C-alpha cells in the first residue's frame, strides 16, 4: 500500500503541466521533488494543471469498473496481448461470481485514484507558501483541486465503500491507514465541494477548468447518491434537484439542438459540455484513450477490410466491451434519432479484395424493432451482392455456446477520424477526442431522478421530455406523461442517452438496480442463474495489495 497510495508517485516520477493556450499542454518535469520545484507561481500553476491531467490515469484505461457487469455492456472476445489472453479480470467483473481481491483493474483503479489524491493534497497544502501567488488566484486554484480530489473520493467510495480520507501531503512511507465510513466520506465530499463552489469561476476562457456549474453538477450527483444510502434523507434529493435546476436555469450551459452535434468530431467544446477530460492530438508523451474502439468488433479481419485501410473510416475496433442485446431493444428506432448516432449499422469495404470492391456494402444490421422481411433481404442482396445481413438474434458472443456471431452494430458516437492505429493494450490507445465527464443531458437526468425520488413525477417528466424532445426525429413524438415515470424508465432513458459514456455501473450501484445486470447481461445470467440477492456486489473487493502492505491490516469488504 505504501508503494501505491501514499507516495507522490505521479508528482515525482511523471510529468506536470504548464499554463499555455491549452492549459493542459505538457512539460516534462521528471526528476523533480516537491521541495525543490514548487517554489514560485509558475511552477505551482504547473502542479495545479497536473492535478487535472492526473484524471487521465482513470480514463486512459479500459472502462472495466464503469461498464462491465451492467445491463448495457457485457464481455466480448478479449484481444490477445503479447500472444496471451487475459480474460480472468474481465470474467470477474462482468460475471461477478469469481470476483476476488486480486482483480487487476480494481487494483489499478484504486492506486491511480489515490495517486491523484496525493497530487491534489500537494497542491492544496503548498498553496499558502508560494511567493508571488495572488491570494485570489491561490484560492481559486485550491478550490479547483478540492473539486478534483472530491471527484476521486466519489469514484472510490462508490466502488469500494468506506475508504481512508487522506488530506496530508505525504513525503515518507505510511504503513497503516484506517478507512473512514461511507457517511464520513460523503460528508467530506460535500464539505469540500460546498467550500469550492464560490471560489471557482462562473465561466472560464480555459476550457476544461472547473467552473461553478461543474461543482454544482457533482454536488447534485453526490446528494442524489447519498439520498439512497441508509444515512441519507429526502433533503438530499431536494439538494440534488436544487443544484441541477441552478445549472439548467443559469444558462451558461445548454442542450445542443441535435444529439448528433454533441458527438460531432471537433465539437468537443460545445455549450453542452460542463466538464471533460482533455487530450492533445499529436502529443508524443500523453497517451490517448480507447473510447472510440472498445465497443466494437474486429471487422478488419473480414474480406474487404484490413487494419490499415479501415482505420480512417471506422477506427480499429475491438470487442472487449460488447453492447448487450438489451441495450438495442431500448430504442424506438422510428422515432428516436439517437439510435443511428449511437450505433453503426452499415459497414462498407475499405479496399478491393477479390470479388469485393472498395465501397461495397459488406455488413448490414436491420433495426431490431422494425420488420425486415425476406423480400427486404432479397432486395438488399440483389443490390449489394457482397453484403452479409446479420439479424438481431445473432448480436451476441460467438463463444461459450452462446450462439451468436459476435458481429453487431458498434457504438460509433466516439469515432475519431484523426486516430491512428492503436497499440495492443490500454496504455497505447490513440483517440484524442475529449471524454465527457459531465454534460447537460446528464444534468437533466439527474434532476429527473431527484424529482422522482421526491414524489414529483410531473417535474421528473418535464426534465425527461427535454432530453427526449431533442432526440426526436422530425414529425414524431417521444413525449411521456408523469404516470409513465419510474426508476426503471429513468435508467432506460440514461441508457439511450449515455450508452458507452463510462457511467452505467455507477448508475446501477446508486439506484440499487444491479439485478438488471443479472437479468439482461447474458454472460452474467449464464454464470449465476436466477440470483435473488446481489447485495455483495454493490462493493468491489479492496485490492489484496492494499491489505498486504498495511502493517496493521486493512479490512476487506464483506463477502470477499
Amino acid at each position: 500500500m505504501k508503494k501505491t497510495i501514499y507516495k507522490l508517485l505521479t508528482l515525482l516520477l511523471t510529468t506536470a503541466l504548464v499554463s499555455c493556450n491549452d492549459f493542459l499542454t505538457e512539460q516534462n518535469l521528471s526528476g523533480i521533488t516537491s521541495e525543490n520545484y514548487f517554489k514560485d507561481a509558475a511552477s505551482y500553476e504547473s502542479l495545479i494543471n497536473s492535478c487535472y491531467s492526473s484524471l487521465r490515469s482513470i480514463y486512459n484505461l479500459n472502462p472495466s469498473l464503469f461498464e462491465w457487469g451492467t445491463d448495457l455492456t457485457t464481455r466480448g472476445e478479449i484481444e490477445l496481448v503479447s500472444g496471451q489472453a487475459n480474460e480472468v479480470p474481465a470474467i470477474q467483473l462482468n460475471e461477478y461470481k469469481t470476483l476476488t481481491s486480486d482483480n487487476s483493474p480494481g487494483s489499478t483503479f484504486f492506486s491511480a485514484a489515490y495517486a491523484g489524491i496525493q497530487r491534489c493534497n500537494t497542491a492544496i497544502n503548498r498553496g499558502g507558501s508560494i511567493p508571488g501567488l495572488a491570494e485570489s488566484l491561490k484560492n481559486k486554484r485550491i478550490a479547483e483541486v478540492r473539486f478534483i480530489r472530491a471527484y476521486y473520493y466519489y469514484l472510490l467510495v462508490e466502488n469500494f465503500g468506506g475508504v481512508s480520507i487522506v488530506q496530508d501531503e505525504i513525503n515518507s512511507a505510511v504503513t497503516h491507514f484506517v478507512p473512514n465510513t461511507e457517511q464520513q466520506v460523503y460528508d467530506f465530499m460535500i464539505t469540500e465541494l460546498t467550500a469550492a463552489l464560490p471560489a471557482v469561476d462562473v465561466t472560464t476562457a480555459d476550457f476544461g477548468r472547473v467552473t461553478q456549474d461543474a461543482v454544482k453538477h457533482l454536488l447534485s450527483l453526490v446528494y442524489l447518491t447519498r439520498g439512497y444510502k441508509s444515512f441519507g434523507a429526502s433533503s438530499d434529493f431536494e439538494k440534488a434537484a436544487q443544484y441541477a435546476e441552478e445549472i439548467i436555469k443559469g444558462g451558461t450551459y445548454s442542450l445542443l439542438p441535435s444529439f448528433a452535434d454533441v458527438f460531432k468530431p471537433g465539437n468537443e467544446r460545445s455549450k453542452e459540455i460542463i466538464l471533460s477530460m482533455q487530450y492533445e492530438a499529436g502529443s508524443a508523451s500523453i497517451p490517448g484513450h480507447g473510447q472510440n474502439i472498445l465497443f466494437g468488433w474486429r471487422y478488419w479481419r473480414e474480406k474487404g477490410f484490413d487494419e490499415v485501410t479501415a482505420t480512417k473510416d471506422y477506427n480499429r475496433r475491438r470487442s472487449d466491451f460488447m453492447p448487450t442485446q438489451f441495450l438495442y431493444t431500448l430504442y424506438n428506432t422510428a422515432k428516436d434519432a439517437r439510435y443511428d448516432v449511437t450505433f453503426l449499422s452499415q459497414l462498407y469495404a475499405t479496399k478491393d479484395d477479390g470479388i469485393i470492391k472498395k465501397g461495397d456494402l459488406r455488413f448490414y444490421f436491420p433495426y431490431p424493432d422494425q420488420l425486415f422481411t425476406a423480400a427486404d433481404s432479397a432486395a438488399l442482396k440483389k443490390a449489394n451482392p457482397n453484403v452479409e445481413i446479420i439479424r438481431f438474434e445473432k448480436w451476441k458472443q460467438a463463444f461459450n455456446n452462446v450462439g451468436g456471431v459476435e458481429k453487431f452494430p458498434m457504438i460509433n458516437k466516439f469515432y475519431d477520424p484523426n486516430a491512428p492505429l492503436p497499440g495492443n493494450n490500454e496504455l497505447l490507445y490513440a483517440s484524442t477526442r475529449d471524454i465527457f465527464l459531465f454534460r447537460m443531458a446528464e444534468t437533466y437526468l439527474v434532476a429527473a431522478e431527484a424529482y422522482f425520488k421526491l414524489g414529483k413525477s410531473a417535474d421528473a417528466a418535464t426534465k425527461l421530455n427535454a432530453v427526449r424532445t431533442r432526440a426526436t426525429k422530425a414529425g414524431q413524438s417521444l413525449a411521456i406523461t408523469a404516470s409513465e415515470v419510474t426508476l426503471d424508465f429513468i435508467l432506460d432513458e440514461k441508457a439511450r442517452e449515455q450508452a458507452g459514456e463510462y457511467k452505467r455501473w455507477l448508475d446501477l450501484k446508486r439506484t440499487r438496480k444491479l439485478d438488471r445486470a443479472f437479468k439482461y447481461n447474458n454472460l452474467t445470467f449464464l454464470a449465476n442463474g436466477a440470483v435473488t440477492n446481489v447485495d455483495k456486489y454493490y462493493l468491489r473487493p479492496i485490492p489484496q495489495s492494499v491489505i498486504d502492505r498495511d502493517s496493521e491490516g486493512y479490512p476487506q469488504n464483506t463477502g470477499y
Side-chain angles (χ1 to χ4, degrees), residues 31 44 50 67 102 139 190 259 284 287 297 325 352 390 392 535:
Y44 184 70
S50 75
E67 294 290 343
D102 63 356
N139 292 337
I190 289 171
F259 182 77
W297 54 277
Q325 288 180 297
D352 293 342
I390 305 176
F392 174 75
D535 287 352

Side-chain angles (χ1 to χ4, degrees), residues 69-72 96 324 326-327 329-330 486-496 504 507-508 511-522 524-525 531 534 538:
T70 70
D71 53 344
L72 308 185
Y96 291 98
T324 62
F326 172 68
L327 173 58
T329 68
L330 294 175
T486 65
L487 189 54
D488 281 314
F489 186 93
I490 292 170
L491 286 170
D492 291 348
E493 193 61 36
K494 287 182 68 67
R496 288 182 281 264
R504 193 57 173 186
D507 287 337
L508 298 184
T511 56
R512 303 291 293 184
K513 287 285 189 176
L514 200 56
D515 59 298
R516 288 170 59 116
F518 287 76
K519 180 178 180 181
Y520 297 123
N521 184 321
N522 62 341
T524 309
F525 175 79
V531 173
V534 299
Y538 283 106

Side-chain angles (χ1 to χ4, degrees), residues 220-221 223-225 228 234-245 442-457 459-460 463 485 487 490 510:
S220 183
L221 184 58
Y223 273 115
L224 178 68
T225 308
Y228 286 90
S234 61
S235 59
D236 291 322
F237 296 124
E238 292 170 359
K239 282 285 191 181
Q242 172 197 321
Y243 281 117
E245 284 286 14
E442 183 182 32
T443 308
Y444 277 86
L445 294 171
V446 166
E449 187 178 330
Y451 281 130
F452 173 76
K453 294 299 290 183
L454 289 168
K456 299 180 178 180
S457 295
D459 291 330
K463 293 297 180 283
V485 179
L487 189 54
I490 292 170
R510 178 183 67 254

Side-chain angles (χ1 to χ4, degrees), residues 347-383:
L347 278 80
Y348 295 84
T350 58
K351 69 172 187 177
D352 293 342
D353 194 353
I355 63 171
I356 296 171
K357 302 302 179 185
K358 180 179 179 180
D360 283 355
L361 179 61
R362 285 287 291 117
F363 293 97
Y364 182 82
F365 301 90
Y367 288 125
D369 62 334
Q370 295 189 36
L371 186 65
F372 189 77
T373 66
D376 294 329
S377 179
L380 185 66
K381 288 181 177 179
K382 182 177 181 180

Side-chain angles (χ1 to χ4, degrees), residues 120 132 171-172 175 195 198 317 430 447 450 474 497 512:
C120 293
N171 289 295
S172 60
T175 61
R317 306 301 178 101
E497 182 69 26
R512 303 291 293 184

Side-chain angles (χ1 to χ4, degrees), residues 194-419:
T194 303
L197 180 57
V200 299
D201 286 333
V202 175
T203 60
T204 177
D206 285 333
F207 188 90
R209 284 205 185 275
V210 173
T211 62
Q212 289 190 6
D213 281 353
V215 179
K216 289 177 181 179
H217 184 99
L218 184 53
L219 272 168
S220 183
L221 184 58
V222 167
Y223 273 115
L224 178 68
T225 308
R226 192 172 75 164
Y228 286 90
K229 309 286 186 183
S230 61
F231 52 84
S234 61
S235 59
D236 291 322
F237 296 124
E238 292 170 359
K239 282 285 191 181
Q242 172 197 321
Y243 281 117
E245 284 286 14
E246 287 180 11
I247 300 169
I248 293 166
K249 294 175 180 178
T252 302
Y253 302 95
S254 59
L255 292 174
L256 294 186
S258 163
F259 182 77
D261 287 345
V262 178
F263 296 97
K264 182 179 179 181
N267 198 35
E268 287 81 13
R269 300 187 176 191
S270 73
K271 290 275 287 183
E272 176 136 348
I273 309 308
I274 299 171
L275 187 69
S276 60
M277 186 66 256
Q278 293 180 276
Y279 290 82
E280 182 182 3
S283 171
S285 61
I286 297 177
H289 60 84
Q291 196 174 31
N292 64 318
I293 64 172
L294 292 174
F295 302 94
W297 54 277
R298 294 171 178 80
Y299 69 87
W300 38 266
R301 298 187 296 196
E302 305 292 331
K303 291 185 69 64
F305 304 93
D306 61 38
E307 294 178 89
V308 176
T309 63
T311 294
K312 178 67 176 176
D313 291 337
Y314 300 119
N315 297 155
R316 182 197 181 277
R317 306 301 178 101
R318 51 192 298 168
S319 54
D320 301 42
F321 297 83
M322 180 177 174
T324 62
Q325 288 180 297
F326 172 68
L327 173 58
Y328 301 109
T329 68
L330 294 175
Y331 296 84
N332 181 331
T333 59
K335 297 181 177 182
D336 196 329
R338 290 174 295 192
Y339 185 92
D340 290 328
V341 176
T342 301
F343 301 109
L344 184 65
S345 296
Q346 301 177 37
L347 278 80
Y348 295 84
T350 58
K351 69 172 187 177
D352 293 342
D353 194 353
I355 63 171
I356 296 171
K357 302 302 179 185
K358 180 179 179 180
D360 283 355
L361 179 61
R362 285 287 291 117
F363 293 97
Y364 182 82
F365 301 90
Y367 288 125
D369 62 334
Q370 295 189 36
L371 186 65
F372 189 77
T373 66
D376 294 329
S377 179
L380 185 66
K381 288 181 177 179
K382 182 177 181 180
N384 302 276
N386 294 316
V387 70
E388 183 177 342
I389 299 170
I390 305 176
R391 294 178 179 270
F392 174 75
E393 57 267 21
K394 292 295 184 180
W395 300 356
K396 51 190 176 183
Q397 295 87 348
F399 55 81
N400 289 4
N401 297 315
V402 172
V405 296
E406 202 151 325
K407 298 173 183 176
F408 47 85
M410 301 183 285
I411 291 182
N412 199 52
K413 63 184 181 181
F414 311 119
Y415 162 72
D416 185 350
N418 299 313

